[in-house]
Amino acid sequence: MRVLVTGSSGWLGRYLVPALVAAGNDVIGLDVAAGPHTKVIGSVADRALIDRLFAETRIDAVIHAGALHKPDIVRYPRQAFIDVNVSGTLNLLEAAVAHGASRFVFTSTTSLMISHAIRAGEGDAAVWIDETMTPLEPRNIYGVTKLGGERLCRLIHDETGLPVVILRTSRFFPEEDDTLRTLSGENMKANELLHRRLTVEDAVAGHLAALEKTPEIGFDTLILSAPTPFSRGEAAALKTDAAAVIAAHYPQAAALYAARGWSLPASIDRIYDAGRAERVLGFRCATDFAAVLGALEYGEPLPFAHDADYTSPLVIPDLIRDPG
C-alpha cells in the first residue's frame, strides 16, 4: 500500500515511517522540514503541492500527522494554525477523495478535550474523559484548529464515504512540559502514564492498527493512551489523595519512587479512558505505569523517551510573526 505520511520529520513521523516500511508499505513522507524519512518538502497548506502530489503518485492511504502543536503557539500567529491544521487537513481530505484513496487516518489530540475548567483543576473529582464527553471546549488555538480538522473529517466522510479514523493521542512528546516544572521531566512522564500519556512506540502501533482497520470501521474517533489502572468510582479519591489510590493498586510504588528521589502525584485531575480503541481496533498500549515500576525495581532503562533539549524541526520562515 502506498501511504502518504504528513509530519514525517516530526517526533511521531521518525518512528512511524520506518514501521510502515517494515510492514511492507511504500511511504511518501511530506514535511516542511527535511528529515531522513521525508521525500517531499512542503506544507499541507499548499493546495497546489497537495494536488500535484496526489496526481503524480498513486496514494492509497493518508496518515495526516503533520500539524502546528501547542508549543508552537508562542512561535506562530493564529492564522498559521488555521492554514496548517484546518485548511491543510481539508486539502488532504479533498485530494484523497478526488484520487480514490481507500482510507484516511487523522492524528488528533486529547488536548482539544481539555477546557479551561479542567486545566485549572476545578471540581471535586478527577474528570473521566472518553469519546462521549461533551461539550468540547478547547482552551487554545491548537485545540480549536485540531477540533476543526476533526469536524472536516466527519463532514467529508458523511458527504463522500471516505473511511476516516481520528486518533486523539494523549501526550507522547519527549521534551519537558512547557508550562509545568514542579517535577523532573522523567518523574512527570512516569506519573502521566497513570492517566494521560503513552509512548511514541505505542502511538505508532495504534496508527498501524487504525490504518489496517479504517476501511471496515468507516468512521470513528478514538482516544489513544496507556491503559489506566483506575476506575470511574475512584475519581473523587484521585482528586483528593491520589497517592493513596495508587498505593492500593501498586503497593511498591512509594518505595521505588523514594529510592529514585521521585514524587507520586498528590492529586490527579483527569483520566483518559482508551477502552474504546481496544474494543474497536483490538489495540492496547503495551507500556503502562507497571512497566515504569518494573524498570525502577530492576534497574532497567525507563520505558519512555525523555529529551529535555528536543525541539520540533518545524520551520516556516514566512509564517513567523510577532506572537504579541
Side-chain angles (χ1 to χ4, degrees), residues 50-130:
I50 297 303
D51 288 342
R52 184 169 65 252
L53 181 59
F54 274 82
E56 293 175 353
T57 60
R58 299 175 62 86
I59 294 170
D60 187 48
V62 178
I63 298 181
H64 180 26
L68 285 173
H69 295 278
K70 195 255 186 181
D72 295 311
I73 291 175
V74 298
R75 297 193 286 170
Y76 301 104
R78 291 189 182 95
Q79 185 62 52
F81 280 80
I82 294 171
D83 293 343
V84 174
N85 295 357
V86 182
S87 296
T89 300
L90 180 60
N91 290 342
L92 289 164
L93 287 163
E94 291 187 336
V97 171
H99 294 275
S102 68
R103 64 203 74 188
F104 194 105
V105 177
F106 180 57
T107 308
S108 191
T109 173
T110 52
S111 179
L112 64 81
M113 307 176 79
I114 306 305
S115 64
H116 285 290
I118 295 174
R119 179 70 177 80
E122 297 178 7
D124 56 4
V127 180
W128 195 270
I129 299 175
D130 64 15

Side-chain angles (χ1 to χ4, degrees), residues 126-177:
V127 180
W128 195 270
I129 299 175
D130 64 15
E131 295 83 355
T132 66
M133 192 185 83
T134 57
L136 296 178
E137 300 175 326
R139 69 189 187 280
N140 54 40
I141 190 63
Y142 170 52
V144 167
T145 54
K146 291 302 285 186
L147 182 57
E150 288 193 6
R151 298 289 197 246
L152 288 171
C153 287
R154 175 87 244 191
L155 176 68
I156 297 301
H157 167 75
D158 288 346
E159 290 183 348
T160 71
L162 175 68
V164 180
V165 167
I166 297 166
L167 298 178
R168 289 180 181 165
T169 61
S170 64
R171 293 178 161 205
F172 60 86
F173 57 77
E175 66 265 37
E176 302 282 358
D177 189 290

